[in-house]
Amino acid sequence: TKCLNKFSIVCSQGCRAVGQYHLICWDDGLQHEEVIRGNKTEWPTPGNGGTDMTDAIRYALKYKPSVIILCTDGGTCYPAKEEMGRCQLIIALTQDLPTPEWAKRVRIPDPGKKDKE
């Protein structure tokens, strides 16, 4: 989708700033994981439905990141703020759905989908 292309550009720019990052694709469980050390032009697009980002974020926290950037349509649950420790959560949303007040919210509209009303 166009949203995934936008997200990959943001990640590539971030990689230039930090050198590398973990790409974790999650839906109803771990779908794909790799360490990115440069530009990535092809992104996996797994999916099964039943998304719960709480488990994905808990999984990512094992790497002790200072920031987690989560790309989602927003139809998911999130962990409690206390579980995040010092890690900042940035949620890149393709739809205008609720997110935790303590997380940074960024809209990345997907032109192929309409927001839920």
Side-chain angles (χ1 to χ4, degrees):
T1 68
K2 292 181 181 180
C3 172
L4 193 56
N5 289 336
K6 290 180 192 177
F7 191 67
S8 68
I9 291 168
V10 169
C11 288
S12 292
Q13 291 169 344
C15 191
R16 284 194 295 270
V18 299
Q20 71 179 28
Y21 62 92
H22 287 267
L23 171 65
I24 299 169
C25 298
W26 196 280
D27 205 337
D28 61 347
L30 180 63
Q31 303 290 312
H32 178 85
E33 180 177 8
E34 68 180 291
V35 176
I36 308 298
R37 292 182 175 89
N39 288 338
K40 182 164 183 67
T41 57
E42 293 186 29
W43 287 65
T45 55
N48 290 328
T51 305
D52 184 345
M53 288 295 113
T54 301
D55 290 338
I57 292 166
R58 287 176 180 153
Y59 182 86
L61 285 169
K62 76 179 187 176
Y63 294 111
K64 304 203 182 312
S66 57
V67 175
I68 293 175
I69 301 172
L70 174 65
C71 184
T72 180
D73 63 6
T76 187
C77 301
Y78 301 94
K81 180 180 181 180
E82 296 76 27
E83 291 185 62
M84 298 301 297
R86 293 182 168 211
C87 181
Q88 179 183 9
L89 179 62
I90 300 171
I91 304 170
L93 283 171
T94 60
Q95 296 184 37
D96 191 17
L97 293 173
T99 58
E101 290 181 16
W102 51 264
K104 172 77 173 161
R105 175 189 172 104
V106 178
R107 280 281 281 129
I108 302 178
D110 187 341
K113 294 183 180 179
K114 291 187 176 185
D115 283 347
K116 293 181 182 179
E117 297 183 14

